[in-house]
Amino acid sequence: MDNKTNRGKLVRKYIGEEIEKFKFEYKGYQNDSWKYERKFKGVIQTISIYPYRFDQRMITFELYTDVKNSAYASEMGTNVIQAGMIEDITTNSEMRGYWKYDTEDELIEVLNDMKDVLMKKGMRILVHLSKGEEETDTAEMYHELYFNHDELCEKFIKKTGIKATGFDEKNINNWFEVIEERVAVLKKQSYEQSKWELVEMAAFLGNQLVKYLDGEWYHFVSKDHESCSIINCNTAYSCTNCLKVLVGGYTKNGMDWVKEIFLERCKKKIVKNSYNISKM
């Protein structure tokens, strides 16, 4: 596996094909690295994948944008975030942030591991490195919600003891007793500290729509935005953006307003085959 052309093809297949779904474009092999870029809210974000200069059978990546003075860069002390600087990732070499391989099959396995890190952590870091207008429901929150909603839902259940036995008025009232108690706690700290628990709440509510109303998680990515919603529920409402309504309730409208949205969906449930049953 010393051939750069072969390695480049594998990088483009096992990493490139996935990140291109997020509007990244391949910019070629530049300065000993395979580069991908996208323009997101006016900022150029770059993913650079490259071999270790002293051992071509080791590979890593780094992330950066064309913003030189972002708050995150100041916090980290650099505008370039290397894989080895990312918390809670595991690589297969003694050198932090590098993956090693000997065969093509091993390289494919390594590239898949790198892709998972990029999708689950790298995208959020790129948003942190990007200058932009402060938002309450941000792209990185939606990214985390869509890719990790089951884990986030379980985390919220374990934290609060919240229970779900159906999608009805009794359950919804019980859920929002718990949610309102948690929001009262969160209000005592900054929104920046609180927002990730709002993502957990959105994961819980979204999973109930999926479980009890046959909804589906839907991921939306455009040049300027990323979000997710629950679609195709058995209700008169075609789409529910759980995170947006929770953030709206937290910042200005109150949790009673959010609860009413879910109660309304309960009232507007569509009973499958109800017409046929009534005719029997």
Side-chain angles (χ1 to χ4, degrees):
M1 285 302 304
D2 291 327
N3 187 295
K4 288 182 182 177
T5 302
N6 287 343
R7 281 183 297 163
K9 288 180 179 177
L10 294 175
V11 167
R12 295 190 67 181
K13 177 175 177 60
Y14 291 97
I15 293 181
E17 287 183 5
E18 186 65 25
I19 63 177
E20 284 170 2
K21 296 176 184 177
F22 294 83
K23 312 303 179 184
F24 281 89
E25 295 182 6
Y26 180 58
K27 296 299 182 179
Y29 189 75
Q30 305 174 19
N31 300 322
D32 297 323
S33 71
W34 296 277
K35 282 188 167 43
Y36 285 85
E37 289 182 358
R38 75 171 176 180
K39 195 169 185 179
F40 190 82
K41 295 187 176 180
V43 174
I44 297 175
Q45 301 177 337
T46 303
I47 298 173
S48 178
I49 302 158
Y50 56 93
Y52 183 40
R53 61 183 296 188
F54 297 115
D55 186 347
Q56 293 291 300
R57 296 191 180 190
M58 296 177 68
I59 192 167
T60 189
F61 67 83
E62 62 186 23
L63 311 167
Y64 53 91
T65 73
D66 61 349
V67 176
K68 301 305 179 186
N69 297 306
S70 74
Y72 188 75
S74 298
E75 177 186 332
M76 298 299 292
T78 178
N79 291 303
V80 179
I81 303 301
Q82 298 170 332
M85 299 168 63
I86 301 174
E87 293 182 358
D88 301 324
I89 70 168
T90 302
T91 61
N92 65 350
S93 78
E94 295 179 358
M95 185 176 294
R96 179 164 176 78
Y98 281 83
W99 288 262
K100 64 180 180 180
Y101 64 92
D102 288 310
T103 67
E104 181 173 316
D105 287 342
E106 289 176 357
L107 177 56
I108 290 171
E109 184 176 347
V110 158
L111 293 174
N112 279 321
D113 288 344
M114 292 175 65
K115 175 186 68 181
D116 289 343
V117 174
L118 285 167
M119 299 308 298
K120 291 189 175 182
K121 295 179 180 289
M123 296 295 187
R124 187 197 294 181
I125 289 170
L126 282 170
V127 172
H128 282 314
L129 287 170
S130 301
K131 183 180 178 180
E133 183 180 350
E134 189 64 29
E135 298 173 289
T136 51
D137 52 330
T138 61
E140 69 265 34
M141 291 167 73
Y142 283 113
H143 190 87
E144 183 78 3
L145 176 58
Y146 179 76
F147 282 100
N148 297 298
H149 50 80
D150 288 333
E151 295 92 333
L152 292 166
C153 174
E154 189 62 28
K155 183 177 180 180
F156 189 66
I157 290 171
K158 288 182 178 179
K159 180 188 298 180
T160 62
I162 197 168
K163 298 183 185 299
T165 58
F167 197 91
D168 52 37
E169 187 172 346
K170 181 180 179 181
N171 270 284
I172 293 169
N173 283 324
N174 289 339
W175 299 341
F176 277 89
E177 283 184 12
V178 175
I179 288 171
E180 285 169 0
E181 287 178 3
R182 288 303 306 161
V183 167
V185 173
L186 297 179
K187 286 283 190 178
K188 296 176 182 179
Q189 56 193 26
S190 70
Y191 177 74
E192 192 64 24
Q193 293 172 301
S194 303
K195 65 183 183 181
W196 294 111
E197 188 164 330
L198 295 176
V199 177
E200 296 172 18
M201 293 177 190
F204 171 81
L205 291 172
N207 272 6
Q208 307 322 305
L209 291 169
V210 171
K211 182 176 181 180
Y212 294 110
L213 298 183
D214 294 328
E216 301 173 30
W217 284 96
Y218 173 74
H219 191 210
F220 172 79
V221 181
S222 71
K223 183 178 178 181
D224 297 316
H225 191 55
E226 179 175 353
S227 68
C228 64
S229 300
I230 308 298
I231 62 170
N232 296 334
C233 291
N234 295 328
T235 76
Y237 300 91
S238 60
C239 178
T240 303
N241 186 328
C242 297
L243 181 58
K244 182 171 285 294
V245 297
L246 275 167
V247 169
Y250 178 91
T251 55
K252 55 187 176 182
N253 295 323
M255 286 300 121
D256 281 342
W257 173 78
V258 182
K259 181 168 72 171
E260 284 302 317
I261 290 173
F262 285 86
L263 286 171
E264 189 65 16
R265 277 146 180 75
C266 176
K267 294 172 187 175
K268 300 292 186 179
K269 285 190 294 187
I270 297 170
V271 180
K272 291 183 177 180
N273 300 321
S274 59
Y275 176 81
N276 292 334
I277 292 170
S278 67
K279 294 293 185 180
M280 292 178 65

